[in-house]
Amino acid sequence: AQRVTQPEKLLSVFKGAPVELKCNYSYSGSPELFWYVQYSRQRLQLLLRHISRESIKGFTADLNKGETSFHLKKPFAQEEDSAMYYCALKGGGADGLTFGKGTHLIIQP
Amino acid sequence: GAVVSQHPSWVICKSGTSVKIECRSLDFQATTMFWYRQFPKQSLMLMATSNEGSKATYEQGVEKDKFLINHASLTLSTLTVTSAHPEDSSFYICSAKPAAGYGYTFGSGTRLTVV
């Protein structure tokens, strides 16, 4: 069975500080990993996926197969980054996503 | 960009009645749509995958007779919660995967409260 673990329910950092949201996964094959963000009162939006290896809004995430991790990082947090962040996995032929429980990121001024 | 419209955004119904939730892809064709359920302070749980013109595939533990899914066209999937009970109260979210291209676009969700 596949599983996504986000150990932190809540993460609070000051503006300008580095941010790291942790995500670990369990899957026997080669997964596709995603980060989704949900701003207050808005729908889930794709932030980035490991295949594209891109940086969106200053966020990056590297897939570490050895550690089965896909942590989300940003060197300097901004107040507008405050939101719920969900790590998600798509495995094998299955099309649906398996989500972690989410981390509520709060950026303090 | 791709937009998915989900309707209604919230609904209150009496126990024993049925409720239909619609999910529409507005500017793209979606061969596959997904239905998720989210309990308070918990993650999204995949309920079922629906492919246009075929029967939905339900995840383990999801009652297909209670959660009826119809995906009659490339732009519309519906979830009907039949004979709803208070324990069915939850936040239901749909997602669509385009026929061409990549990615999953999410609806804004439906808050169902069964009283």
Side-chain angles (χ1 to χ4, degrees):
Chain A
Q2 53 201 49
R3 189 169 61 242
V4 176
T5 303
Q6 292 180 252
E8 303 135 330
K9 284 187 179 179
L10 175 67
L11 182 63
S12 179
V13 301
F14 285 102
K15 176 183 173 182
V19 172
E20 182 178 49
L21 288 83
K22 291 184 167 52
C23 172
N24 288 89
Y25 66 90
S26 174
Y27 182 66
S28 57
S30 293
E32 292 182 52
L33 275 297
F34 306 82
W35 275 100
Y36 280 85
V37 59
Q38 187 172 31
Y39 299 104
S40 180
R41 301 185 184 281
Q42 295 189 27
R43 67 189 69 196
L44 275 169
Q45 303 173 35
L46 177 66
L47 182 60
L48 51 81
R49 51 192 174 110
H50 89 270
I51 290 178
S52 56
R53 298 185 64 83
E54 57 197 345
S55 174
I56 303 293
K57 299 184 179 181
F59 285 98
T60 59
D62 290 316
L63 178 62
N64 186 323
K65 292 187 178 180
E67 296 183 357
T68 59
S69 69
F70 188 56
H71 303 326
L72 183 68
K73 300 177 183 179
K74 184 169 183 176
F76 307 103
Q78 298 171 294
E79 288 185 66
E80 54 265 33
D81 295 329
S82 295
M84 278 294 293
Y85 290 81
Y86 293 93
C87 183
L89 176 154
K90 175 181 176 299
D95 267 344
L97 297 176
T98 299
F99 284 87
K101 291 190 175 182
T103 297
H104 187 186
L105 177 65
I106 297 175
I107 308 301
Q108 298 190 48
Chain B
V3 177
V4 169
S5 173
Q6 189 171 340
H7 181 80
S9 54
W10 61 270
V11 58
I12 301 173
C13 70
K14 290 185 177 180
S15 188
T17 62
S18 295
V19 174
K20 181 185 281 189
I21 302 170
E22 291 189 350
C23 181
R24 293 181 185 272
S25 56
L26 296 185
D27 49 4
F28 66 99
Q29 293 184 327
T31 49
T32 307
M33 288 188 174
F34 309 89
W35 289 95
Y36 295 85
R37 183 174 181 176
Q38 185 177 31
F39 290 103
K41 300 188 186 297
Q42 300 214 12
S43 185
L44 287 79
M45 299 293 292
L46 180 65
M47 298 174 63
T49 301
S50 74
N51 292 294
E52 186 265 336
S54 62
K55 289 185 178 180
T57 303
Y58 290 82
E59 295 299 301
Q60 193 172 12
V62 178
E63 298 177 60
K64 60 181 180 181
D65 293 331
K66 165 163 273 298
F67 300 101
L68 299 179
I69 292 172
N70 185 284
H71 193 162
S73 77
L74 286 172
T75 59
L76 174 64
S77 176
T78 60
L79 168 68
T80 302
V81 183
T82 62
S83 187
H85 290 284
E87 57 264 31
D88 298 324
S89 298
S90 192
F91 194 58
Y92 294 87
I93 304 171
C94 73
S95 172
K97 183 179 179 185
Y102 187 92
Y104 303 82
T105 303
F106 285 81
S108 54
T110 298
R111 172 77 58 196
L112 170 63
T113 302
V114 185
V115 297

